[in-house]
Amino acid sequence: MAPSKTTSTVLVSQRHQDDLAFSKSFHGHTWDEAHHQDTFVSKLIKKDREFQPELVDNYLKNWKHEDPIQETAEEKEARQNAYRVVTNSFYDLATDFYEYAWGTSFHFCRFYPREPFQQAIARHEHLLAANMGIQPHFKVLDIGCGVGGPAREIGHFTGAHITGLNNNDYQINRARRYAVAAGLQDRSEFIKGDFMHMPVDDNTFDACYAIEATVHASTLEGVYGEAYRVLKPGGVFGCYEWLMTDKYDPTNPEHLRIVRGIELGNGITRLVTAKECLQALATVGFKVEKVTDLAENEDKVQWYSPLQGSMQASAAFWDYVTFLRTTTTGRATTTYLLRTLETLGLVAPGSAKVSGILQTAADSLVEAAVLGIFTPMYLFVARKPE
């Protein structure tokens, strides 16, 4: 017999309390207002030295075999069912690394020649909002909002009220503080919740969007169905989705190895194809208005150029600093530095292993991009019928 709604609510409430208690213990003083903008190394120093190595090891155990061909259907299903824990653990480990290397908008973008990095990131967000037709009077949901970078930018750009939904307490805490610093505390809010079971009433929002976030769902039908439910009739759903392209061959061992690296390195339980994405939208009832893979282009500077070590995308001083951090050499240097600091007892054990996980992610993303089997910017705009 299924648990009652009251019982389920109590269980979710208790889980949220447990998540919050763990997050505060794990991240230490970084939770405090005075330490919100601490340096990258300072944040790592404050991590719990008992919890971190255990958290890293438990995260990696979700992938039972180094060779994905050896993985059974049961093991794949178990990992998909554990999506909430996998994603939450990943972002507890990776958030500080992401902010250090990339900024507060955790996504890729296209580049114009000589366009500053942060300008390109903002333009990518503006493009989604413009394609969706977000208006100043809209109530908008950001599904999987991270630390709120896109929510703040789209809030400024459109004038709409943005609600960010996130299952990671550390990121929610940071998003709220960034919103205050940006003067958007009255036009934004950030709530705790699983996007497969959103704590939101039916027919609440005029629009919702997801930027490279719903890839963490156990099924796209599940998260897209929730987006459909919380939208008002006639509401619009826009997304940049991570997907495998038609060039991906699931029987090719090399492709499988690369996909495994992307999944393990980014907290993803299962990557799917563009065809599966469109089928999921249709299954839950959306009417697709626009679809385009923005990664298919003739750009001189490709979306993955920063991960390759290309300085072509650098147009400002801080761009060079950012891209030096994200190059193969820069990532290796970070890992070596953290390994040294671990040996000296200055940062929590497991820090270098986290850096290694993110190196795997970057290398695998570049391999997939060069082969044309993956896109991080499959743009679609869909509408809930009136």
Side-chain angles (χ1 to χ4, degrees):
M1 184 173 66
S4 67
K5 184 174 181 179
T6 300
T7 301
S8 297
T9 301
V10 170
L11 291 174
V12 169
S13 177
Q14 182 59 53
R15 188 172 67 209
H16 285 186
Q17 292 178 36
D18 293 343
D19 284 351
L20 182 60
F22 173 82
S23 186
K24 288 184 174 181
S25 296
F26 176 68
H27 293 288
H29 293 308
T30 308
W31 259 86
D32 299 338
E33 181 69 41
H35 297 278
H36 179 58
Q37 295 287 31
D38 277 358
T39 65
F40 171 60
V41 172
S42 180
K43 291 174 185 174
L44 295 188
I45 289 173
K46 294 179 173 68
K47 303 300 180 200
D48 189 283
R49 297 178 183 229
E50 179 181 347
F51 286 159
Q52 174 146 300
E54 181 180 351
L55 186 62
V56 174
D57 290 342
N58 286 341
Y59 171 76
L60 291 173
K61 287 177 183 176
N62 288 287
W63 289 268
K64 306 295 184 185
H65 307 281
E66 184 173 343
D67 183 355
I69 295 177
Q70 297 179 7
E71 193 169 49
T72 67
E74 290 76 16
E75 288 169 336
K76 292 178 183 178
E77 183 179 4
R79 184 171 62 247
Q80 281 184 257
N81 291 337
Y83 72 93
R84 190 189 67 82
V85 174
V86 171
T87 305
N88 218 12
S89 298
F90 176 77
Y91 282 111
D92 271 329
L93 295 168
T95 294
D96 291 328
F97 286 82
Y98 275 19
E99 289 200 50
Y100 161 72
W102 205 256
T104 60
S105 289
F106 301 163
H107 62 78
F108 294 105
C109 65
R110 294 175 64 181
F111 296 97
Y112 291 148
R114 311 307 301 168
E115 180 180 29
F117 176 69
Q118 291 301 330
Q119 180 175 310
I121 288 285
R123 179 170 56 80
H124 198 63
E125 295 159 1
H126 296 174
L127 178 65
L128 180 63
N131 272 282
M132 293 172 62
I134 295 176
Q135 301 298 313
H137 64 275
F138 275 18
K139 290 179 61 178
V140 181
L141 178 67
D142 181 333
I143 301 171
C145 65
V147 297
R152 293 189 298 277
E153 187 62 40
I154 291 174
H156 279 307
F157 179 65
T158 66
H161 184 282
I162 313 292
T163 297
L165 176 69
N166 194 323
N167 204 40
N168 185 274
D169 291 283
Y170 185 58
Q171 291 191 341
I172 294 169
N173 184 51
R174 298 187 67 74
R176 288 170 177 163
R177 288 177 175 169
Y178 283 132
V180 171
L184 289 170
Q185 64 271 25
D186 295 330
R187 288 198 288 116
S188 65
E189 64 176 327
F190 297 91
I191 60 175
K192 165 87 170 181
D194 177 355
F195 57 26
M196 297 287 286
H197 307 280
M198 297 183 190
V200 177
D201 291 337
D202 296 357
N203 308 318
T204 296
F205 292 100
D206 300 289
C208 61
Y209 66 83
I211 299 180
E212 302 185 23
T214 46
V215 66
H216 294 292
S218 56
T219 67
L220 290 184
E221 287 86 356
V223 66
Y224 292 173
E226 280 293 272
Y228 187 92
R229 180 183 65 80
V230 303
L231 278 173
K232 298 174 183 177
V236 62
F237 177 30
C239 183
Y240 290 129
E241 192 64 88
W242 278 33
L243 296 168
M244 307 311 296
T245 70
D246 290 341
K247 294 182 180 179
Y248 169 64
D249 179 1
T251 66
N252 184 321
E254 186 71 357
H255 288 191
L256 291 174
R257 177 190 63 79
I258 293 169
V259 169
R260 165 58 61 84
I262 295 174
E263 291 175 342
L264 185 149
N266 291 281
I268 301 165
T269 60
R270 178 176 175 262
L271 275 167
V272 301
T273 65
K275 290 180 180 177
E276 290 173 277
C277 167
L278 294 177
Q279 182 58 57
L281 287 167
T283 296
V284 303
F286 277 114
K287 302 300 181 184
V288 178
E289 297 183 345
K290 180 170 185 174
V291 173
T292 183
D293 182 2
L294 296 182
E296 289 188 354
N297 57 64
E298 301 297 327
D299 293 349
K300 292 182 179 179
V301 182
Q302 287 293 324
W303 65 264
Y304 52 89
S305 293
L307 301 180
Q308 281 186 309
S310 170
M311 292 293 117
Q312 285 182 296
S314 301
F317 170 76
W318 285 111
D319 290 354
Y320 288 97
V321 175
T322 295
F323 296 154
L324 282 172
R325 291 170 177 169
T326 59
T327 62
T328 302
T329 301
R331 298 193 302 270
T333 300
T334 298
T335 301
Y336 177 79
L337 171 63
L338 293 176
R339 192 174 292 123
T340 301
L341 292 175
E342 280 186 38
T343 301
L344 296 173
L346 297 178
V347 299
S351 298
K353 192 176 285 188
V354 176
S355 183
I357 290 170
L358 299 179
Q359 282 194 71
T360 297
D363 292 340
S364 300
L365 287 167
V366 170
E367 285 188 272
V370 171
L371 290 174
I373 64 173
F374 167 79
T375 175
M377 51 186 70
Y378 191 83
L379 167 64
F380 67 74
V381 177
R383 193 170 299 276
K384 180 177 180 177
E386 292 279 2

